[in-house]
Structures are given as structure tokens and as C-alpha cells.
């Protein structure tokens, strides 16, 4: 632990672990207009108003910006963070985005429909939902902005008579929102968990059929299954790597769906290995190849085994000369066969000849 490099590495890891939640859950921020004040320097009236909105919304107050406290009304901009992400279906249409925004700010602006609304595009090229309400002599403008695995809600208020004066300034605040991302895409975790084993099973069957058709002309399922399993195991490893790097940009959607990138990748790898193992074991039980044995003297062919089985059941022993003519392994030279008229009898054994 005395090595400076080791200490720096540990500090970097510790900082990453502590800062990661802040990075992931950070709300969007507005750019403070020229001459306006932020946070503790904001007008006391704006701070009280933002605190009241915080209680009404039940959300975390992330930023307060106000006009200088030199007028009877302090224009206020407040940014709140909602822990739930904005689903991509919320921005599928302007009406869906307006509905999501209205539901988020209803406790502040009321349930009346807005006077104006639409989808705005920020300088970063992402869309946010915007709407404007008038409540008595005040104008409220609300913005719903996706920010990673959370959502940012911006509420701006001013006197109705001053809205035209502040129009360009407020439009600049909306366009310069920082930390805004695209909506959270939907991730079907069930489809991946069911589809991965089915894909590996389909590959196993296809490879097995290909081995029987194009490689093993004897239709030996053991050899075909072994070859197909080896190839499929390599495809499992390759597919796992492709999944890990291919889904890297959807890790937040995975976490929101109740899993993680590492967990889903492990599921895909393990399901593939299980399919490969079962394929290998099942194929080994369906061998149609040449039956072989290993006695001390050689290998029996299938013809010899059938002949031996028929002889044992019928009680008829094959003649030595017929054995010599038909057997493709135990060919006995004719000059060693006994004379049929001789009284000497021989018993032919695989490794020796004994005289009785």
C-alpha cells in the first residue's frame, strides 16, 4: 500500500463508486441568463416559491434561478428531479408528451389545459416537452426533459404582462438545457431470456443436420453431435461478446427493466453452454456407425457379429471353409484346414489352434 500508484488507483476507484450515482441520477441544469441570480444568491421570494413547489411536487429541488430582487415580482426558474425515467412512448407524439408534462406539474399549475404546448429541440439535438398555463395574473411554463434514468422538470413563472419581455430569454433557457438525453427505450427482458435458449437450440439442430448431410456420410450421430457441439460452443462465446458490447448503450434501460448488462450476458452464456452440453449427451446415445470391439486379437466386423448371433441361437456351427471364404477379418489359409476325412479334429480359436 506504500506504492503511490496503488494509492492513486484505489482513490480513483473509490471516487468512481461514489460519483457514479451522482452522474447517473443528475438532473438537467439551466444556463443562468445574463444578470440573473442562482441558488443562494437568488431572490428570497424566488427561493420561497421554489421551496413551496418542491413540497407540492414531492420532488428534489436541483436548481433555483431568479431575476434580480429589484422589482415587486421576482421571475423564478426552478429545476426538479424525478427519479423515474421518461419512457420513449411518452415522446411518441406531441399529445403523449403534453399528457406526461401536465401530469408532472398538475399540483402547481392546476388541471386546466395549457394555452400553448409543443415539442422543443435543445441545442444538443434532443427533444423536450413544453407547455404554458395562465393562472390569474401569472404565467407558468413547464418543461419535461429526460435525463438518463431520471427526469427533469423545469417550472418558470412571471407576470402575464411581462411574458413578451422575457420571451427570448426563456426560449434561450429551454434551448440551452444541459444534461438532457433521449427518452428511455423500452427493453423486453422476458424476450431476451426466452429467446436466447431458443436461438442456441435452433443453431444446435441446424449444425447437427448439416454435419449429417455434408460431413458424415455414415449418419453417425455421435460424430455429428460432437462436431456440431464444438462449433456451437464457439458461436456461444462469440454471441456472448457481441451481446455484451452491443447492449452497452442500453445499460440504463436494462437496469430500469430489473436486470443488468452483466446479468443478461451471463444468462445468455450459461443458457448456451447448457444447450451445447445437452446436445452432446443426447447425440451420444444415437450412434449408427460401425460397431467395434477390442479383443486381444483384432476387430470384429458387423457381419461376424451377426453370424455369431445366428449360430448361437440355431446351434449350427459354421464350417471352417465357409468362415474363411466369408469373413473379412478371420481369413484362414486353406492349407491349414484339416482334412474332412481325417479323424483328427481341431478347434479354431482367435489366437491359437489346439489339437483334441
Amino acid at each position: 500500500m506504500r506504492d503511490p500508484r496503488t494509492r492513486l488507483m484505489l482513490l480513483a476507484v473509490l471516487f468512481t463508486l461514489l460519483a457514479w450515482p451522482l452522474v447517473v441520477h443528475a438532473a438537467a441544469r439551466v444556463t443562468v441568463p445574463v444578470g440573473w441570480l442562482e441558488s443562494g444568491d437568488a431572490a428570497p421570494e424566488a427561493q420561497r416559491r421554489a421551496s413551496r413547489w418542491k413540497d407540492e411536487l414531492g420532488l428534489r429541488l436541483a436548481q433555483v434561478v431568479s431575476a434580480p430582487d429589484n422589482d415587486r415580482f421576482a421571475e423564478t426558474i426552478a429545476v426538479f428531479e424525478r427519479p423515474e425515467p421518461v419512457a420513449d412512448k411518452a415522446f411518441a407524439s406531441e399529445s403523449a408528451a403534453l399528457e406526461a408534462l401536465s401530469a408532472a406539474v398538475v399540483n402547481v399549475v392546476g388541471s386546466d389545459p395549457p394555452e400553448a404546448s409543443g415539442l422543443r429541440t435543445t441545442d444538443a439535438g434532443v427533444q423536450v416537452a413544453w407547455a404554458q398555463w395562465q393562472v390569474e395574473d401569472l404565467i407558468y411554463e413547464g418543461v419535461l426533459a429526460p435525463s438518463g434514468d431520471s427526469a427533469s422538470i423545469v417550472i418558470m413563472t412571471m407576470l402575464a404582462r411581462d411574458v413578451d419581455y422575457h420571451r427570448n430569454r426563456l426560449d434561450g433557457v429551454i434551448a440551452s438545457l444541459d444534461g438532457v438525453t433521449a427518452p428511455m427505450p423500452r427493453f423486453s427482458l422476458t424476450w431476451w431470456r426466452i429467446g436466447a435458449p431458443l436461438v442456441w437450440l435452433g443453431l444446435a439442430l441446424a449444425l447437427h443436420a448439416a454435419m449429417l448431410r455434408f460431413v458424415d456420410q455414415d449418419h453417425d450421430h455421435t460424430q455429428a453431435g460432437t462436431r456440431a457441439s464444438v462449433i456451437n460452443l464457439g458461436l456461444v462465446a462469440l454471441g456472448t461478446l457481441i451481446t455484451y458490447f452491443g447492449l452497452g448503450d442500453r445499460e440504463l434501460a436494462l437496469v430500469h427493466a430489473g436486470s443488468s448488462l452483466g446479468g443478461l450476458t451471463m444468462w445468455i452464456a450459461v443458457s448456451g453452454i447448457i444447450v451445447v452440453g445437452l446436445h452432446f449427451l443426447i447425440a451420444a446415445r444415437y450412434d449408427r456407425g460401425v460397431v467395434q470391439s477390442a479383443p486381444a486379437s483384432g476387430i470384429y466386423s458387423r457381419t461376424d457379429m451377426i453370424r455369431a448371433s445366428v449360430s448361437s441361437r440355431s446351434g449350427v456351427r459354421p464350417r471352417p471353409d465357409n468362415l474363411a471364404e466369408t469373413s473379412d477379418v478371420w481369413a484362414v489359409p486353406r492349407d491349414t484346414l484339416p482334412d474332412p476325412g481325417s479323424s483328427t479334429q481341431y478347434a479354431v480359436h482367435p489366437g491359437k489352434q489346439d489339437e483334441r
Side-chain angles (χ1 to χ4, degrees), residues 49 73 133-140 157-160:
R49 184 178 294 119
F73 184 87
W133 293 265
Q134 181 169 356
V135 181
E136 297 179 352
D137 60 342
L138 295 180
I139 289 293
Y140 289 90
T157 186
M158 68 218 69
L159 293 174

Side-chain angles (χ1 to χ4, degrees), residues 22-244:
L22 299 178
V23 174
V24 174
H25 298 282
R29 293 187 62 85
V30 301
T31 302
V32 180
V34 177
W36 286 41
L37 305 174
E38 181 184 9
S39 301
D41 296 331
E45 178 188 351
Q47 296 188 39
R48 290 191 298 269
R49 184 178 294 119
S51 179
R52 186 176 69 252
W53 292 345
K54 173 180 177 296
D55 296 334
E56 294 172 346
L57 298 176
L59 301 176
R60 185 181 74 88
L61 178 60
Q63 187 181 16
V64 179
V65 177
S66 75
D69 190 11
N70 54 8
D71 198 355
R72 66 184 181 89
F73 184 87
E75 291 78 6
T76 306
I77 301 176
V79 181
F80 301 91
E81 181 189 11
R82 189 180 67 184
E84 296 84 8
V86 179
D88 55 356
K89 64 180 181 180
F91 277 70
S93 64
E94 182 176 334
S95 60
L98 175 60
E99 182 180 356
L101 172 58
S102 299
V105 299
V106 63
N107 292 339
V108 174
V109 302
S111 57
D112 293 336
E115 294 184 346
S117 63
L119 293 176
R120 299 277 189 98
T121 302
T122 66
D123 295 338
V126 293
Q127 287 187 326
V128 296
W130 168 86
Q132 182 186 87
W133 293 265
Q134 181 169 356
V135 181
E136 297 179 352
D137 60 342
L138 295 180
I139 289 293
Y140 289 90
E141 293 193 5
V143 175
L144 175 62
S147 53
D149 64 345
S150 62
S152 298
I153 298 172
V154 183
I155 298 180
M156 302 175 284
T157 186
M158 68 218 69
L159 293 174
R161 64 181 185 179
D162 296 334
V163 64
D164 293 335
Y165 173 76
H166 294 293
R167 182 72 272 158
N168 292 335
R169 183 179 292 108
L170 297 180
D171 289 342
V173 167
I174 297 173
S176 62
L177 278 173
D178 188 24
V180 182
T181 65
M184 181 73 70
R186 180 178 178 272
F187 194 93
S188 179
L189 192 61
T190 302
W191 187 94
W192 278 86
R193 287 177 174 174
I194 297 177
L198 293 179
V199 169
W200 301 136
L201 180 60
L203 285 175
L205 296 177
L207 289 171
H208 192 106
M211 293 300 105
L212 289 177
R213 177 66 177 83
F214 301 105
V215 178
D216 190 354
Q217 301 300 325
D218 295 329
H219 296 285
D220 188 341
H221 285 273
T222 297
Q223 294 185 13
T226 301
R227 292 166 179 164
S229 298
V230 172
I231 297 176
N232 202 13
L233 186 62
L235 293 178
V236 168
L238 180 62
T240 301
L241 291 176
I242 293 176
T243 301
Y244 181 81

